[in-house]
Amino acid sequence: VAIIGDGGLTGGMAYEALHHGGDVDPDMLVILNDNQMSISENVGALPKMLARLMVSRRLNALREGTKRRLRRDGLLWRFLKRWEEHLKGMFVPSTLFEEFNFHYFGPIDGNDLPQLLHSLNTLKDLKGPQLLHIVTTKGKGYAPAEAAQIEYHAVGPFDPDKGVAKKSAGKKSYTDVFGDWLCDMAAADPHLHAITPAMREGSGLVRFAKEYPQRYFDVGIAEQHAVTLAAGMACEGAKPVVAIYSTFLQRGYDQLIHDVALQNLDVTFAIDRGGVVGPDGATHAGSFDLTYLRCIPNMLVAAPSDENECRQLLTTAFRHEGPAAVRYPRGSGTGAQIEPELKALPIGKAEVRLRGAGLAILAFGSPLAAALEVGSELGVSVVNMRFVKPLDGTLILELARTHTALVTIEDNAVAGGAGSAVAELLAAKNLQVPLLQLGLPDAFLEHASREQLLAEAGIDVAGIRTAILARWPQFACAPRVGVVSAV
């Protein structure tokens, strides 16, 4: 038995499986749970087809009643029996599944448990591939969730008697920063088009979808198509921005390489949920994007350290002529003041934030805040790297020659990540400089808060300090240093 939602049915693998299953003719039951929702409302042609199937219950009842009457006329009955499937296809578009050699049943009320159990008991012993179409209500049984299905798709702890409390205004999240930037850049450049694979709310596209509906494309849960659609748009002179979670871009990796990077097309990837994501668990962890992106030719890969830099690096990536990715974490940042200007930063240039002695910490992305605290305490240099590809090789080599050791910190798997890029550069230049690489472990990260996961990985303030002093205890008594503003 395989269970799939109507939102998930938009992905290409579902049709690959139907294609395979209909050929090998297994004793198999597919249950299609149709609640007309993904995270937000379903989009595309498939939901419209499923909606037409809703009327089939009434049509089936009408058909069966008509058949009982027509059996009295033998000649007419034989003629209509021969054309039954053709006639049914005119009214009930279940032939999509039947052409895949699946016997289609339904739709039935999936929230009616006696009816559902009766149907399952009837179907479980049938031979060959079967598909049962059930219709359910998302949030069924809890009135607030039924009334606000998008809001209740994924929530934290709340009082069930009062419902989910409205969030108070606080620091802007990186997702909000992206959403505002996207609308501002769209006003400045009419060639901008935004693409999302069913993540309008999660990726911060609600405002853009309302203000620029003709330039907004929700392709459903179809990440491969989202990436190749962007490639096609870029071929025709548009400047597409693909808003996508880090973990979901993995599904479109082949398209990223072959359809975008290989042709050096002008596509910007705004990658949300980079690094640890906390409560969403291992399936949503963006632990690998720096690793899988930096090995692709033609790619520009940037990691902002705060909200303002996120806006600036998004502008940099968008104005760069070629494939570019900006990855940022879930949640809010440091509370940095966001400049309204659409300012681009020099590509491949890092920023020295602290000038110290002996040791230099190279921070990639959001770990910069923790690195600055540790660097100030230990009296060492701290650099905001900004770019994973291209690296600021000139600065790294200068630091390697003027410091006794280097430390890299990233909210990404250590294996093949930004620290590995630094190690490769040092090896290529034959520089024998001690290098400590801090980042995420070679393991899948389970459910916890983002703060807990960073602490477990040793890339919070306490973990960074402990790792450095375990390797170089002489820095424990170093003087504090100040911030350097020069780039």
Side-chain angles (χ1 to χ4, degrees):
V1 177
I3 304 173
I4 188 169
D6 52 333
L9 196 63
T10 59
M13 281 187 65
Y15 297 95
E16 295 173 23
L18 289 170
H19 162 74
H20 183 210
D23 178 52
V24 298
D25 200 36
D27 294 335
M28 176 185 186
L29 172 62
V30 174
I31 299 174
L32 170 58
N33 179 36
D34 180 2
N35 60 13
Q36 296 88 56
M37 295 290 293
S38 178
I39 293 175
S40 51
E41 302 88 351
N42 280 333
V43 297
L46 180 67
K48 296 175 183 176
M49 186 203 81
L50 295 178
R52 291 195 298 272
L53 283 173
M54 299 297 185
V55 302
S56 68
R57 281 175 286 184
R58 295 190 294 273
L59 289 172
N60 282 338
L62 177 63
R63 183 183 59 171
E64 292 304 317
T66 304
K67 284 164 63 176
R68 285 193 295 271
R69 296 182 180 89
L70 289 176
R71 283 192 182 99
R72 301 168 190 165
D73 187 331
L75 180 62
L76 181 59
W77 165 247
R78 286 192 297 272
F79 173 79
L80 290 178
K81 179 66 177 175
R82 180 176 299 175
W83 285 91
E84 178 183 10
E85 289 304 314
H86 298 283
L87 292 171
K88 185 174 74 170
M90 293 172 61
F91 298 101
V92 184
S94 59
T95 52
L96 172 66
F97 303 115
E98 291 175 346
E99 291 298 329
F100 276 117
N101 198 34
F102 278 75
H103 300 131
Y104 173 86
F105 297 90
I108 67 168
D109 183 355
N111 293 127
D112 183 341
L113 288 181
Q115 182 186 16
L116 177 61
L117 292 172
H118 174 75
S119 299
L120 294 174
N121 278 315
T122 300
L123 291 171
K124 70 179 183 179
D125 295 323
L126 295 183
K127 300 296 182 182
Q130 322 291 331
L131 189 141
L132 174 63
H133 181 187
I134 69 172
V135 179
T136 59
T137 299
K138 189 171 183 178
K140 180 71 174 179
Y142 183 53
E146 290 187 40
Q149 295 176 338
I150 298 174
E151 180 182 357
Y152 280 81
H153 175 80
V155 296
F158 66 95
D159 185 339
D161 294 328
K162 299 179 180 178
V164 175
K166 299 297 181 183
K167 295 181 180 179
S168 58
K171 296 178 183 176
K172 270 186 176 290
S173 70
Y174 282 95
T175 302
D176 292 336
V177 171
F178 165 72
D180 291 342
W181 169 84
L182 189 67
C183 291
D184 293 345
M185 185 57 79
D189 191 331
H191 296 96
L192 184 151
H193 292 70
I195 301 170
T196 178
M199 297 302 297
R200 180 183 65 198
E201 284 76 20
S203 292
L205 290 166
V206 174
R207 179 185 158 202
F208 183 89
K210 292 178 180 177
E211 295 185 7
Y212 299 95
Q214 300 304 316
R215 293 154 67 180
Y216 167 74
F217 299 86
D218 184 346
V219 301
I221 304 178
E223 291 83 2
Q224 296 173 328
H225 171 52
V227 176
T228 300
L229 175 64
M233 287 181 173
C235 286
E236 295 301 318
K239 290 182 70 69
V241 176
V242 180
I244 193 167
Y245 284 13
S246 171
T247 186
F248 298 152
L249 182 57
Q250 294 163 185
R251 299 175 184 169
Y253 193 59
D254 179 74
Q255 289 69 27
L256 175 61
I257 294 174
H258 289 101
D259 298 340
V260 176
L262 184 64
Q263 302 180 80
N264 200 26
L265 294 176
D266 194 0
V267 178
T268 300
F269 293 90
I271 305 175
D272 204 333
R273 271 67 167 177
V276 301
V277 296
D280 286 338
T283 59
H284 283 54
S287 306
F288 315 111
D289 51 28
L290 298 185
T291 299
Y292 70 67
L293 288 171
R294 77 173 192 86
C295 64
I296 303 175
N298 296 328
M299 285 296 300
L300 181 152
V301 184
S305 61
D306 62 34
E307 304 93 316
N308 187 53
E309 194 166 80
C310 183
R311 181 177 174 89
Q312 293 172 337
L313 287 176
L314 284 166
T315 302
T316 306
F318 183 77
R319 290 178 176 168
H320 169 69
E321 295 184 0
V326 180
R327 66 93 78 162
Y328 42 90
R330 177 182 179 174
S332 58
T334 63
Q337 183 69 32
I338 299 176
E339 303 169 17
E341 179 188 0
L342 292 169
K343 175 184 176 182
L345 298 175
I347 291 176
K349 294 298 182 182
E351 173 193 33
V352 177
R353 295 293 298 273
L354 293 178
R355 283 285 186 185
L359 186 74
I361 302 175
L362 312 181
F364 293 86
S366 59
L368 176 66
L372 285 171
E373 186 171 338
V374 175
S376 178
E377 176 186 334
L378 301 183
V380 301
S381 297
V382 177
V383 179
N384 174 19
M385 291 302 299
R386 288 178 172 164
F387 294 91
V388 177
K389 185 176 185 178
L391 280 174
D392 190 341
T394 301
L395 179 59
I396 293 172
L397 295 176
E398 175 200 325
L399 294 169
R401 294 185 178 104
T402 56
H403 292 71
T404 58
L406 302 178
V407 178
T408 62
I409 307 174
E410 60 192 298
D411 184 6
N412 184 82
V414 170
S420 294
V422 174
E424 291 162 11
L425 173 65
L426 296 175
K429 299 298 182 179
N430 198 28
L431 288 176
Q432 306 299 316
V433 181
L435 175 65
L436 174 61
Q437 295 171 240
L438 301 179
L440 301 181
D442 186 20
F444 291 108
L445 306 179
E446 297 301 331
H447 296 266
S449 70
R450 178 171 166 80
E451 292 71 25
Q452 287 174 305
L453 291 172
L454 291 173
E456 290 179 10
I459 50 177
D460 63 343
V461 171
I464 295 168
R465 181 194 302 114
T466 298
I468 290 176
L469 294 181
R471 184 86 171 262
W472 299 287
Q474 64 268 30
F475 290 105
C477 301
R480 295 178 64 87
V481 297
V483 177
V484 173
S485 60
V487 176

